[in-house]
Amino acid sequence: MLDAAREEFSARGYEKTSVRGIAKSAGVDSALVHHYFGTKEQVFEAAVEGAFAPVLAARNTVLDAPLDEVGERMTRMIIGLWENPATRAPLLAIVRSAVNNETAAGVFRRLVASQLLRRIAGQIGRPDAELRAELAAAQLVGVAMIRYVIKVEPLASADPEQIIRRLAPVVQGHLTGD
Amino acid sequence: MLDAAREEFSARGYEKTSVRGIAKSAGVDSALVHHYFGTKEQVFEAAVEGAFAPVLAARNTVLDAPLDEVGERMTRMIIGLWENPATRAPLLAIVRSAVNNETAAGVFRRLVASQLLRRIAGQIGRPDAELRAELAAAQLVGVAMIRYVIKVEPLASADPEQIIRRLAPVVQGHLTGD
């Protein structure tokens, strides 16, 4: 059911997805979806949290890094997740939903901000660390938008290692620079 | 009619907006909208190009800048457009539509890539100038996403001048750094 939910949300976005459509594509009754997850919002949260699991799993490679390698690890994690077709689809669904729907934006804020950026900020340990982590994340979110979502050339076809080489020092600069 | 179109596309996104809905909100007949603009895609292109006019108007402050000030001018232009409520709404409509719809993404690619980034790249005049311009734009697009679209704190409430101070050297670095 969650796979079906992710596919529906990914293809249609939050607004246009219905519990009925999810149930149909999973080959079950709507009542069963409601029984397990509750409202559409709750199905969405469960689907996004599931989609977000690889990010949370990859998070430790960033959180365990020495402070002067956090920028490269964070860059490599995000580009790696977008390069992997299995994680790209759910990330696309998250982005599409979050820009169009306040419920989805709330899930994004809670998961990305609290579960990822605040942890990285904690590791930086400066008074402005959260703002630093968000500006670093902004660089990576923007690259994801231009390369993977809107697909503007030449960035869309550039070698991922070249992108990582260019972005890692910028991300590191945001996190720990003067 | 274009104002009505922008409002409809902005509130609903491309997919859910209809020529009928635009005509209704403009107080005219659908046939008149079709007569002036053609298909929904053509109405959208006209609306986006109109919404994009302030960006193209502001573009010269970037294109006329000395090479070592292009980063700050570009940052100031983009943050300025998002800070201004009159230009924020159409920008939001462009972003919402572009992430959800291939037609809208195509308009975005044509306008942003050709009309803005390629011009800036021409000014930089290096073999990798387009990639540089896109990585610089990615930093600004990502900040717009996190601050104005998804509204993650503390970035959402940070002082605009503080943001410009932090971003300008990063954008400049992408454009002309080693």
Side-chain angles (χ1 to χ4, degrees), chain A residues 3-156:
Chain A
D3 284 344
R6 269 191 288 274
E7 271 171 38
E8 291 284 308
F9 285 123
S10 176
R12 296 164 199 280
Y14 182 84
E15 303 274 6
K16 276 184 287 181
T17 297
S18 66
V19 169
R20 202 148 71 145
I22 293 168
K24 196 178 163 199
S25 115
V28 301
D29 194 82
S30 300
L32 194 70
V33 178
H34 285 301
H35 173 74
Y36 275 107
F37 299 102
T39 63
K40 178 170 111 173
E41 181 174 340
Q42 290 168 316
V43 180
F44 180 76
E45 289 212 13
V48 172
E49 286 191 17
F52 217 73
V55 181
L56 298 183
R59 182 178 67 172
N60 286 340
T61 67
V62 180
L63 297 178
D64 295 343
L67 210 52
D68 62 347
E69 287 177 26
V70 173
E72 187 181 338
R73 297 272 188 104
M74 187 172 165
T75 305
R76 208 168 269 289
M77 172 183 80
I78 299 297
I79 299 294
L81 289 165
W82 279 98
E83 285 295 314
N84 180 347
T87 42
R88 185 189 302 182
L91 287 175
L92 259 176
I94 294 174
V95 170
R96 290 212 168 108
S97 303
V99 301
N100 279 284
N101 177 277
E102 187 42 44
T103 303
V107 174
F108 182 95
R109 282 194 294 270
R110 189 165 55 73
L111 287 174
V112 174
S114 316
Q115 297 298 314
L116 184 62
L117 298 183
R118 213 154 290 167
R119 300 284 186 94
I120 292 173
Q123 197 189 356
I124 309 283
R126 294 192 181 200
D128 61 351
E130 284 190 29
L131 185 62
R132 285 170 174 270
E134 288 175 11
L135 291 173
Q139 174 72 73
L140 299 170
V141 165
V143 167
M145 287 283 290
I146 292 179
R147 177 175 165 91
Y148 302 104
V149 182
I150 303 177
K151 303 193 181 84
V152 181
E153 295 294 354
L155 186 53

Side-chain angles (χ1 to χ4, degrees), chain B residues 52-103:
Chain B
F52 217 72
V55 180
L56 297 184
R59 183 178 65 170
N60 286 340
T61 68
V62 180
L63 297 178
D64 295 343
L67 211 53
D68 63 346
E69 286 177 27
V70 173
E72 185 180 338
R73 297 274 188 101
M74 186 173 166
T75 305
R76 207 169 271 287
M77 173 184 79
I78 299 297
I79 299 294
L81 289 166
W82 280 98
E83 284 295 314
N84 179 348
T87 42
R88 185 188 303 181
L91 286 174
L92 259 176
I94 294 173
V95 170
R96 288 210 170 108
S97 303
V99 302
N100 279 283
N101 177 275
E102 186 43 43
T103 301

Side-chain angles (χ1 to χ4, degrees), chain A residues 15-16 95-96 98-100 105 108-109 113 118 128 130-132 134-135 137-139 141-143 145-146 149-155 158 162 166-167 170 174, chain B residues 15-16 95-96 98-100 105 108-109 113 118 128 130-132 134-135 137-139 141-143 145-146 149-155 158 162 166-167 170 174:
Chain A
E15 303 274 6
K16 276 184 287 181
V95 170
R96 290 212 168 108
V99 301
N100 279 284
F108 182 95
R109 282 194 294 270
R118 213 154 290 167
D128 61 351
E130 284 190 29
L131 185 62
R132 285 170 174 270
E134 288 175 11
L135 291 173
Q139 174 72 73
V141 165
V143 167
M145 287 283 290
I146 292 179
V149 182
I150 303 177
K151 303 193 181 84
V152 181
E153 295 294 354
L155 186 53
Q162 184 194 9
R166 290 192 183 230
L167 293 181
V170 173
H174 278 307
Chain B
E15 301 275 8
K16 274 185 289 180
V95 170
R96 288 210 170 108
V99 302
N100 279 283
F108 182 95
R109 280 193 296 268
R118 212 153 292 166
D128 61 350
E130 285 191 28
L131 186 63
R132 286 171 173 269
E134 288 175 11
L135 292 171
Q139 174 71 74
V141 165
V143 166
M145 286 284 290
I146 293 180
V149 183
I150 304 178
K151 302 192 182 85
V152 181
E153 295 294 354
L155 186 53
Q162 185 194 7
R166 289 190 183 232
L167 293 181
V170 173
H174 278 307

